[in-house]
Amino acid sequence: MSAGWRTLLLRIGDRCPEYGGSADQKEHIETCHGALSREYEHSKEAIFEFLLQCAEQLPHKIPFFGVLIGLINLENEDFAKAIVDTTQANLQDALHNENRDRIRILLRFLSGLMCSKVVAPSSIIEMFETLVSSAATILDEETGNPSWQPRADFYVYCILASLPWGGQELFEQVPDEFERVLVGIQSYIGIRRHFDDIAFSVFETDEGHSPNKKDFMEDLWERIQALSRNGWRVKVVCIKAFTIFLLKIFCLGNILYCVILKLLFRCSYNPSQLRENLITSMTVPKPHLSFEAQLVDGKSHRVSPISCPPPTLSQSSSEILKGQEKHEADLKYPQRLRRLHIFPANKAENMQPVDRFVVEECILDVLLFFNGCRKECAFYLVSLPVSFRYEYLMAETIFSQLLLLPNPPFNPIYYTLVIIDLCKALPGAFPSVVVGAVHALFDRISNMDMECRTRLILWFSHHLSNFQFIWPWQEWSYVKDLPKWAPQRVFVQEVLEREVRLSYFEKIKQDLAKSHLQSIEDAAELEELLPPKAGPNFKYHSDESNENTDGHRSSKELVGMIRGKKTIRDIISWVEEQIIPANDAEFALAVVSQTLLDVGSKSFTHLITVLERYGQVISKLCPNEEMQLMLMDEIGAYWKNSTQMTAIAIDRMMGYRMLSNLAIVKWVFSPANVEQFHVSDRPWEILRNAVSKTYNRISDLRKDIQSLKKGLQVAKEVSAKAVKELEEAKSVLEIVEGQPAPAERPGRLRRLQVHADKAKHEEITTEESLEAKGALLVRALEESKEKSLKQQLRLPAPVSATRSSRTDACTGVRYPVRYPSGRLAYFGHLVCQELLKLLFKSFVDVLTERLPPVSADGEIPNLRAGELNVNFAAHDPETATMEIDNENGADNNSDPNGQDPKNGYNIGELEQWCLCTLGYLKSFSRQYATEIWSHIAMLDEEVFAGDIHPLIRKAAFSGLCRFPSEGSH
């Protein structure tokens, strides 16, 4: 049975069964065009919609879809014209809705249609000029707003990104107009502000801002200029082919042949791979060239002009407001890729400068449109229409997205699954590429951003769990000789801890050896880095020596009450009447918390069940932050051998309102936890959970309240209109038997009354939903235990507490008073304000105590200078350092992992502690920048005021892309 036309459209350009396994692109297009022609009369609308959908969601195949539409244009101009008009309308809609991906892809699609003679080249030039003009206007101080440069950059980026697909045709058909566009882009590049993305660099440096470093736009423009110098076509390198021919004639023996090729072209010794490497590639397929004689007879349609939304004018000259505007612009128009070169240049195959950009775009498009469909994503990634091997480039692109700051485009687990499927799809190539990437990143782990380091740990441990935890651990055995604070040692330690979570202790230590492959037992030296075997540390464990203590007797009695299914009230009475009077509240809290944790220690489900049933007892014993801090001490003591259970227990107790977010922050910054900042992820995991849960909860409530406010406004308008129609109908009278009576028929009046009642009911329901969200915000504020804040709001009491009401003038119905929606938003504002103030104040306090002071002449201390008296075993000196793209702000010549080639890791413990803590300060600032910018005036006044250490200010402000001078006083 032949494949359907939809399947043929989806698989066009692939070597697949639908096309008989053929790779002939011309044959694919002819087969697909024949199928579409046969189905056209019966499925015209379906073909129209599906073609547009394929062009938007499979953008790397746009050249093929363009040729198909060009062939249809020869037979049915109206169909092609409708495609062009619809695409223009969609592009215009995307511009005004700021749909970045759709703008970029539709512009590429129109360029592809131009190559197939469906769109007039002059129309493409007009669109380009509109975008360049709008970009220049945005940068104008008087008519635009330079803070929104990301939008202007995006417009120019869309033009440059479409030129590999259509630049050659524009150059040949409208050279003068095309040159005018390029001159405009050159002028724009000259006036735009250089973007220094040091805040989003994967690797930390001490160099500060680097104005000589090319940013992404400058790099792309340089690549396009190289393409322009080649006449907008990739030139065939005949010299290599001729050299190979001569070598085949004159060289005696395959080995000598390979050796000479190795010297000439720096490629591998594998003859088959050599031939692959030396084949000149064309990253953008040009199928229209095979049909040029036919397509030239088609009618080129004009595209209606497009318009860009007017620039957002600056509301103030305040540096804070400008910073907020710039942050908003960066959020709406983020940089799509921050290139990370993991592998040496000789792994990049034989690519022209623009080839890398084109393949990266294709990979990112596949990741974008197949998010959630991992199998399909992997299939399309390994079957891109590219004539050379690109596994290394694909790995670099995926890792660049996984480590993209401030957030990856998709959940990190998506990239994990894609990498796993790629390893299965390319078993002979991709696994070794992933291994090389891990080793390269591991060599630079000490300079890696703390957020990226955490993501890498989570990814790597999850990845190994899908491959039987197999890894050549002996290659990393040297880390045992590094100090406990060395980043490589901490990385291995955290990966092993995460692996134990994903499996269990004995399996990680022993069972992997059964696979007869490399396991942790092959590097017995690393066993000391395994976490302790998880298990409870129950303070009141019974044995003969301690059964008679008060704590053991009380704990045993509490267990008996739980097994006897005593009520919460009975247990609370027992605690208040017997335990506290005989001892004290602290003793009671220790007994109750340790015993309940022990009862729920068998599994996560047991813990949650215990907290749900007996959480009120704990809440009764923890009325203030002091008692909550003691409760967390008890949790940490009970689960001292399990970071995972400690984090889960604290997270669940926060969810059940037994612990406040402020108490968790204070506990994390307590002296015992501060000492672990540089050697364990335990305190940071707990802090991340608390801040993230608070932020997400408030953000969700704000979105819901905003949506309900809009819904309430609409409901009020509908209700008012329905009441008005009802009143107007009732007011029309007529004389019946000498008496006035309603002129409207009774049936219509009843329908209007029902409609008015429904509209009023909808309004009331929306108001009640808004009130419920307000109650949740009240509870969130109560978590902070800041009663004074509630007085600042001066809100009316909740409806559940008071029954004050108002009377509707039209219906006479009484409705309860609701919270003002503006005050509800202020609730969330204060919740986040208190949390951020405490968080940053805690960072400032602990860092101020430990950071080395600024010298008398104002020189800021260099924490990476190291201590020369610290000697440890050096890593293998032959290990290659990773080549980092200059976009990442890393020094290509710097030593990996902060090592001295002879002495090993040379950074002292205090310096490493400061580097880690500053790194997390920067990470939190970047992660919650949106919320921080709305509170920056308060933070400048209450936290960052006075004589703050420059390194603290730099870390906090760089996460906000804010220069320290903007916040100095």
Side-chain angles (χ1 to χ4, degrees):
M1 184 177 183
S2 60
W5 61 268
R6 287 185 175 85
T7 304
L8 291 175
L9 268 176
L10 288 173
R11 299 305 187 192
I12 193 170
D14 300 335
R15 186 189 294 271
C16 57
E18 287 78 8
Y19 287 101
S22 170
D24 187 348
Q25 298 177 354
K26 183 176 181 180
E27 182 182 337
H28 285 202
I29 293 173
E30 290 174 342
T31 302
C32 191
H33 177 246
L36 294 179
S37 299
R38 291 189 295 271
E39 297 290 335
Y40 182 79
E41 293 298 329
H42 309 288
S43 310
K44 178 181 177 181
E45 294 299 326
I47 291 174
F48 182 87
E49 295 294 335
F50 199 70
L51 260 175
L52 289 175
Q53 187 178 359
C54 286
E56 288 195 33
Q57 299 189 16
L58 295 173
H60 62 284
K61 296 187 177 185
I62 278 177
F64 301 100
F65 301 133
V67 174
L68 281 174
I69 297 171
L71 295 175
I72 295 174
N73 186 41
L74 298 174
E75 307 163 357
N76 192 328
E77 293 180 358
D78 293 338
F79 182 90
K81 175 62 174 173
I83 288 280
V84 172
D85 292 342
T86 303
T87 303
Q88 187 276 341
N90 290 341
L91 176 60
Q92 185 63 68
D93 181 68
L95 282 167
H96 284 282
N97 292 331
E98 298 180 303
N99 189 331
R100 304 183 310 277
D101 292 313
R102 206 175 192 198
I103 295 170
R104 173 180 53 81
I105 290 169
L106 289 177
L107 202 59
R108 185 196 303 177
F109 183 43
L110 288 171
S111 298
L113 293 177
M114 182 265 299
C115 294
S116 298
K117 312 301 181 184
V118 179
V119 170
S122 58
S123 297
I124 302 296
I125 294 295
E126 289 177 8
M127 286 190 293
F128 287 174
E129 289 179 333
T130 299
L131 293 173
V132 173
S133 175
S134 178
T137 302
I138 291 173
L139 296 190
D140 188 86
E141 292 282 356
E142 297 180 357
T143 61
N145 184 357
S147 296
W148 280 83
Q149 179 179 307
R151 176 194 281 178
D153 282 350
F154 172 74
Y155 287 163
V156 177
Y157 157 75
C158 287
I159 298 173
L160 297 178
S162 66
L163 293 184
W165 276 265
Q168 180 179 345
E169 285 70 21
L170 291 172
F171 175 71
E172 293 173 350
Q173 299 179 40
V174 283
D176 295 336
E177 293 85 348
F178 187 40
E179 181 64 24
R180 188 171 65 242
V181 171
L182 296 179
V183 170
I185 294 176
Q186 178 68 68
S187 300
Y188 172 80
I189 296 294
I191 64 174
R192 66 182 289 275
R193 184 184 69 252
H194 170 85
F195 180 68
D196 194 339
D197 59 350
I198 191 171
F200 306 113
S201 298
V202 174
F203 294 94
E204 302 277 359
T205 66
D206 293 321
E207 299 173 359
H209 298 273
S210 305
N212 297 324
K213 175 171 59 71
K214 293 194 300 286
D215 63 18
F216 184 77
M217 283 296 297
E218 294 162 352
D219 177 79
L220 176 57
W221 175 237
E222 186 177 288
R223 293 172 187 269
I224 295 298
Q225 285 180 311
L227 183 62
S228 173
R229 289 191 293 270
N230 288 339
W232 299 97
R233 66 180 71 212
V234 180
K235 295 182 178 180
V236 179
V237 185
C238 299
I239 299 176
K240 288 189 177 183
F242 181 66
T243 304
I244 295 173
F245 175 73
L246 293 179
L247 288 172
K248 286 182 177 179
I249 295 176
F250 295 110
C251 290
L252 301 177
N254 189 52
I255 296 179
L256 181 59
Y257 165 62
C258 292
V259 170
I260 296 179
L261 287 179
K262 171 72 176 181
L263 295 175
L264 285 174
F265 307 121
R266 296 183 181 179
C267 42
S268 65
Y269 286 90
N270 188 323
S272 61
Q273 186 177 352
L274 283 170
R275 288 192 294 273
E276 264 185 31
N277 288 347
L278 297 173
I279 293 176
T280 300
S281 64
M282 188 67 175
T283 52
V284 178
K286 299 285 186 179
H288 64 275
L289 298 179
S290 302
F291 297 88
E292 197 165 15
Q294 299 167 252
L295 296 174
V296 73
D297 295 330
K299 179 182 178 180
S300 295
H301 305 278
R302 287 195 56 80
V303 182
S304 301
I306 60 172
S307 61
C308 299
T312 305
L313 299 179
S314 181
Q315 302 297 322
S316 171
S317 59
S318 167
E319 291 295 337
I320 290 180
L321 292 179
K322 285 185 177 180
Q324 289 176 322
E325 289 178 349
K326 182 180 180 301
H327 174 69
E328 182 183 355
D330 288 334
L331 285 181
K332 286 191 175 182
Y333 295 92
Q335 187 172 310
R336 196 178 187 212
L337 174 70
R338 289 186 171 87
R339 194 171 287 117
L340 175 67
H341 283 270
I342 298 177
F343 304 104
N346 59 3
K347 298 290 187 181
E349 305 291 344
N350 181 33
M351 292 191 297
Q352 299 292 330
V354 77
D355 286 350
R356 181 184 180 96
F357 169 75
V358 172
V359 177
E360 286 172 342
E361 286 285 288
C362 292
I363 293 171
L364 295 179
D365 287 338
V366 172
L367 290 171
L368 169 66
F369 288 106
F370 289 97
N371 174 35
C373 305
R374 45 181 282 199
K375 298 293 184 183
E376 285 293 304
C377 179
F379 171 81
Y380 279 104
L381 284 176
V382 300
S383 58
L384 294 178
V386 178
S387 59
F388 56 83
R389 295 181 60 180
Y390 54 92
E391 302 93 72
Y392 289 99
L393 179 54
M394 182 162 59
E396 287 181 342
T397 305
I398 295 175
F399 276 104
S400 296
Q401 293 297 98
L402 175 65
L403 303 178
L404 187 66
L405 296 171
N407 295 298
F410 306 108
N411 194 310
I413 190 66
Y414 171 53
Y415 302 102
T416 303
L417 297 176
V418 169
I419 292 173
I420 291 171
D421 286 331
L422 287 174
C423 289
K424 295 176 181 178
L426 300 172
F430 204 71
S432 61
V433 173
V434 173
V435 170
V438 173
H439 280 296
L441 293 170
F442 181 73
D443 286 341
R444 293 290 301 239
I445 200 70
S446 70
N447 291 332
M448 186 177 287
D449 181 89
M450 299 306 298
E451 170 66 21
C452 294
R453 191 185 302 183
T454 301
R455 286 190 213 163
L456 188 63
I457 290 170
L458 295 176
W459 164 78
F460 186 50
S461 56
H462 190 179
H463 181 79
L464 292 182
S465 72
N466 284 271
F467 294 95
Q468 303 178 22
F469 301 98
I470 296 171
W471 185 256
W473 295 106
Q474 73 281 359
E475 295 183 9
W476 289 353
S477 60
Y478 69 91
V479 302
K480 71 180 179 61
D481 296 323
L482 297 177
K484 65 177 182 178
W485 59 85
Q488 286 189 333
R489 179 187 174 107
V490 174
F491 177 84
V492 174
Q493 171 184 302
E494 292 299 325
V495 167
L496 293 176
E497 196 274 332
R498 293 284 177 172
E499 287 189 0
V500 170
R501 293 191 192 189
L502 295 170
S503 181
Y504 51 92
F505 184 85
E506 290 79 6
K507 181 174 181 61
I508 300 300
K509 186 177 180 181
Q510 299 175 357
D511 290 355
L512 290 180
K514 296 178 182 179
S515 64
H516 304 292
L517 295 170
Q518 294 158 324
S519 71
I520 190 65
E521 287 195 346
D522 293 323
E525 301 89 344
L526 293 181
E527 288 189 19
E528 63 183 76
L529 299 185
L530 280 169
K533 186 175 181 179
N537 181 36
F538 188 32
K539 184 187 297 185
Y540 304 108
H541 179 71
S542 297
D543 56 41
E544 296 180 356
S545 62
N546 55 21
E547 285 186 354
N548 294 326
T549 65
D550 290 343
H552 288 80
R553 286 196 300 269
S554 299
S555 175
K556 188 174 182 179
E557 187 174 354
L558 177 57
V559 171
M561 296 178 72
I562 292 174
R563 291 176 177 171
K565 301 194 182 298
K566 296 291 184 179
T567 65
I568 298 296
R569 183 175 299 177
D570 291 339
I571 295 176
I572 292 177
S573 299
W574 171 75
V575 171
E576 292 179 341
E577 296 172 4
Q578 298 185 33
I579 304 301
I580 295 179
N583 298 278
D584 53 28
E586 290 80 0
F587 175 83
L589 176 60
V591 169
V592 170
S593 61
Q594 287 264 338
T595 303
L596 292 181
L597 287 172
D598 194 60
V599 172
S601 63
K602 292 184 179 179
S603 67
F604 303 148
T605 305
H606 282 77
L607 174 63
I608 293 172
T609 302
V610 167
L611 294 179
E612 288 177 347
R613 290 182 180 177
Y614 304 105
Q616 294 181 34
V617 181
I618 297 177
S619 298
K620 190 74 174 178
L621 290 169
C622 299
N624 52 50
E625 284 186 356
E626 182 181 357
M627 297 300 292
Q628 291 180 20
L629 293 174
M630 294 182 60
L631 172 60
M632 283 182 279
D633 285 336
E634 295 296 335
I635 297 172
Y638 183 86
W639 287 115
K640 71 175 185 178
N641 294 328
S642 176
T643 299
Q644 182 180 23
M645 289 304 300
T646 302
I648 289 175
I650 292 176
D651 182 73
R652 289 293 83 207
M653 288 187 181
M654 178 183 171
Y656 292 136
R657 270 79 179 183
M658 302 175 203
L659 295 171
S660 71
N661 49 19
L662 300 185
I664 294 175
V665 173
K666 290 182 179 179
W667 183 77
V668 168
F669 283 92
S670 63
N673 288 316
V674 166
E675 296 302 322
Q676 301 181 45
F677 277 6
H678 60 314
V679 295
S680 173
D681 191 54
R682 182 187 185 111
W684 298 117
E685 180 181 0
I686 294 169
L687 183 61
R688 284 194 301 266
N689 290 344
V691 177
S692 176
K693 176 165 285 189
T694 302
Y695 178 77
N696 291 338
R697 183 187 302 168
I698 298 302
S699 296
D700 291 343
L701 287 174
R702 284 173 173 167
K703 292 177 182 177
D704 292 342
I705 288 173
Q706 190 66 22
S707 176
L708 288 170
K709 285 169 62 178
K710 294 179 180 179
L712 181 59
Q713 183 64 31
V714 172
K716 286 181 177 180
E717 293 175 358
V718 172
S719 178
K721 182 179 179 181
V723 170
K724 182 180 179 181
E725 290 179 354
L726 178 61
E727 291 177 346
E728 289 176 350
K730 289 181 178 180
S731 64
V732 179
L733 302 176
E734 64 180 1
I735 304 300
V736 178
E737 298 180 355
Q739 298 293 328
E744 291 289 348
R745 290 173 295 178
R748 184 170 186 272
L749 287 177
R750 284 195 297 271
R751 287 195 299 271
L752 290 175
Q753 183 66 55
V754 170
H755 180 60
D757 291 343
K758 285 184 177 180
K760 179 55 69 174
H761 176 72
E762 182 67 24
E763 179 184 351
I764 295 171
T765 302
T766 306
E767 281 187 318
E768 289 176 347
S769 299
L770 189 58
E771 175 198 351
K773 297 298 180 183
L776 290 175
L777 273 177
V778 171
R779 293 180 65 182
L781 185 59
E782 287 175 346
E783 282 184 13
S784 65
K785 306 298 182 182
E786 296 286 343
K787 298 181 180 179
S788 61
L789 295 180
K790 297 170 69 176
Q791 297 175 358
Q792 296 176 24
L793 296 172
R794 299 175 183 174
L795 291 175
V799 174
S800 58
T802 63
R803 292 292 178 183
S804 57
S805 60
R806 59 179 176 80
T807 303
D808 186 87
C810 298
T811 63
V813 179
R814 296 174 68 84
Y815 302 108
V817 174
R818 313 292 175 186
Y819 284 127
S821 57
R823 294 282 181 86
L824 294 180
Y826 190 42
F827 252 134
H829 181 85
L830 286 178
V831 171
C832 290
Q833 175 177 295
E834 289 304 305
L835 178 62
L836 291 175
K837 182 167 68 175
L838 176 61
L839 178 64
F840 284 100
K841 188 69 168 61
S842 301
F843 268 113
V844 170
D845 289 344
V846 296
L847 282 165
T848 302
E849 293 177 4
R850 292 167 174 79
L851 278 171
V854 179
S855 64
D857 57 358
E859 182 180 355
I860 299 176
N862 182 5
L863 298 176
R864 296 187 185 275
E867 292 182 352
L868 299 179
N869 60 343
V870 180
N871 296 317
F872 294 93
H875 183 27
D876 183 3
E878 295 183 0
T879 301
T881 61
M882 182 175 64
E883 178 187 355
I884 306 300
D885 190 10
N886 57 11
E887 290 178 22
N888 297 307
D891 183 3
N892 291 332
N893 298 321
S894 59
D895 290 330
N897 201 43
Q899 293 172 213
D900 181 282
K902 297 181 179 180
N903 298 326
Y905 195 74
N906 59 1
I907 295 180
E909 182 171 9
L910 177 60
E911 287 77 5
Q912 186 62 45
W913 184 96
C914 293
L915 287 170
C916 286
T917 308
L918 288 170
Y920 278 109
L921 172 59
K922 178 181 177 180
S923 175
F924 277 100
S925 299
R926 182 177 52 224
Q927 186 73 20
Y928 303 102
T930 301
E931 193 64 42
I932 293 170
W933 272 112
S934 62
H935 301 283
I936 196 65
M938 178 274 297
L939 293 174
D940 281 347
E941 181 179 351
E942 300 188 26
V943 178
F944 298 119
D947 189 19
I948 297 294
H949 198 289
L951 291 178
I952 299 177
R953 195 183 301 276
K954 176 184 176 183
F957 286 5
S958 64
L960 303 173
C961 293
R962 184 187 187 200
F963 291 102
S965 59
E966 295 176 14
S968 59
H969 294 276

